[in-house]
Amino acid sequence: MRISKEERAQLKKLPIQGYCDWKGIAYNKTSSSELRMIDHDSLVVRPKLNLFVWNSRGIKGDLVDFIHYYELGNEEGQSKGNAIRNQLAYARHVKGDNVDIDKLYQPTEPAYKFDYDKVYRTKETLVAQDYLVKQRHLDPRFVANLIHHGAIVQGSRYRENDQMHQNPVIFPWRDVNGKIVGADRQGTEQDFEHFKKRGASKKVFAGSDTSTGYNIAFGKGDKTLVLFESPIDLLSYAQQNHQELTKNNATLLSISGTDAKRGAQFLNDSIGAKQAQFNKVIVAFDNDQAGFKAADFYDRFQFKNPNTNEMIVAERHVPIKGKDWNDQLKAGVSGYQTLSMGENAKRLEQLSQLAAQETQDNPFDNQDDRVSKVPAKNKAQTPFEQSAKTKKTKAQCRKDNALKNKAIIKEAMGKVTAYQTDPSALKKLLDFTATGLNYSARNSMLIQLQKPDATLLKGYKQWSADGIQVNKGETGIKIFGAPVDLKTIIDTNGERIRWADATPEQKNQANTKQLPVQIIKHYPVETVFDIRQTNATTKQLPELLPNRPIDLATDKSPIHLDNAYKTLLKYAETMKVTVYDQGVDDQLAKRPMTWQGQAKGAFLQSKSDPTKKYILLRSDLTPTDKIHTLAHEVAHAKLHSAQSKDNWPTAIKETQAELSSYVISKNLGIDPGQQSIAYIDNWSKKLKALDVPQTGKILNQALQASTDVTQYLSSHLEKGEKKQVTTKKVFKPEKLAVVEQNFQSIQRHR
């Protein structure tokens, strides 16, 4: 093994600290100039010199010596060839990450030391309480107790991204001696325009001491250490398991991320400073690949508590429902699945393999989605093929098909950004939704993304029932079917198994509560075919298409126009929204001009009483324009009232309302005419300019709102005439005088 002088010089620069991080060797920062290994506390690394000293053994040296004696357990005098090979592997890792070795792990003093007195806080706590109770579903008594003991506080309003934000929640960090040495800040409002990934601000204060994190203790808090990725998950887990935690004298620690070594450092500090009797570490990271990968650090964890002379064991807790503990809390589910660290490693391997499959361009052969070109009876099978087919169980076939379908749907949804950049694609989606074929918003998008020219779709059996056959060789379109409740068993490796696919042993373990059973809402993937993929004739088409409630493109009857408008008014009443189309022109004239000119309508909601909602319309609108404007404001009322969960920016709200009203108007046969392309182009530019990663969600909400309205229109109108529908009147519109007192609460206008 020949190494040049230049290579040797580069290898000597490789830091021992970096090697420890790469290999997952736990250490504790005793000072700015020393690192002490957790499992051998007499082994000290000095980063400035890039050397180590093992006091109890009288050994010292560089990185090669460190690997030779510590990692490989060799005695003095044996060959260092394996140590050099490990060093070269580490060097290749550093080179692969394009790291400047000269700057790697250079010792630096922190630029700023955390000072809790400089963290702006308020005496009021209402915003923090509302966020934790209403948005995060924590028990109000638990939150009040945390506030009383200073475990959470409300911060002052703050500026970020050149915008003021409402009061955040502050989670102060205490070190093992109880001193506040850092803090998390959690935003309490959703703002995807500025905080694209999470939709809310989330940060650690500068200078915070990362040897600790947000932590609370139950009982004496000196026997069990439970680790989390965030304070919210910590509190969610605590609320669900507080009695067990008190019994086990547990301390809960958030490391604000996935740096698992911080848990080992906190453990070591607690044992040294407080003579803690810790005998267990529970890793309660998220139920995803990153969580399992971070937890894998403790698969190599070997640490003896010097206070008890016992080994500290590690295990994994995974939520039964959702990705993290707060997801589970909001779902109203409690409990957890316990895994050994070996089982955690197996689960990580499975997730890594699945992730690798999903990143392939064409991960699956989609032949199963096609109608065979060769009749089944003419297909010849070799003995080997017959044998292989019999070996494959129904469960395996179902899993294979599920993976194929998942890949198809994922590939389709990956194209959703086309609606941001291509006005014609967005127009096709809106026009398809307006046909009234009764597909959900999500399925409408899936259909258009897989087959942009789709018109009328049914399943293979549905077409057959109509006396129509799907052409041979056609590839089906994947959509989600109606949800069903599916009984599943959670296996020891974290895998969810259908009850029908479970073995007798697994069912017995589930019945005796050795394995958890969960009822999930399952959306089966179904295959549909467009009418162009069938032998249907043009004569059959009119019978197959749904009847529109009214077609104003060909029917300009004043009575039918009035019927359509009054049906929309009835729909507004079902949402307990009062509509005024007389005597409000002066108020609307005072509103700011929009990109379409003077405001034609407005949606209002009372600040003092959010249940009072109103729509104002100008009295001089043409019949068709009045319908279109009312549809726009109805969309606002449905999507953007004070009770809505998503606090989208105004530009997105206006875009959603325009998209919804376009679909509703199109469903009635109203077309914007020559301005249609300009409207669609304007909406596309708004979506593109905002660059919001949740374009799919924005469109889905707008289309779902319009679909709800068009279904209502279809059930109450037929060929322009009102259907006889029995409804129970539960809402009495407010008088105009009441509305006039609430004009200041206008939220949006058109």
Side-chain angles (χ1 to χ4, degrees), residues 127-147:
V127 174
Q129 289 183 71
D130 281 352
Y131 171 76
L132 294 173
V133 174
K134 294 180 180 179
Q135 294 193 43
R136 295 297 190 167
H137 292 207
L138 291 171
D139 188 288
R141 294 168 298 177
F142 182 34
V143 173
N145 193 37
L146 291 167
I147 292 173

Side-chain angles (χ1 to χ4, degrees), residues 562 565-566 569 578-585 588 600 615-621 626 630 736:
D562 190 53
Y565 177 69
K566 287 179 178 177
L569 290 178
T578 307
V579 179
Y580 296 100
D581 54 12
Q582 299 294 326
V584 294
D585 291 16
L588 287 170
K600 298 178 180 179
I615 289 174
L616 307 184
L617 300 176
R618 268 170 42 188
S619 60
D620 60 348
L621 301 177
K626 188 160 67 169
L630 177 56
L736 182 60

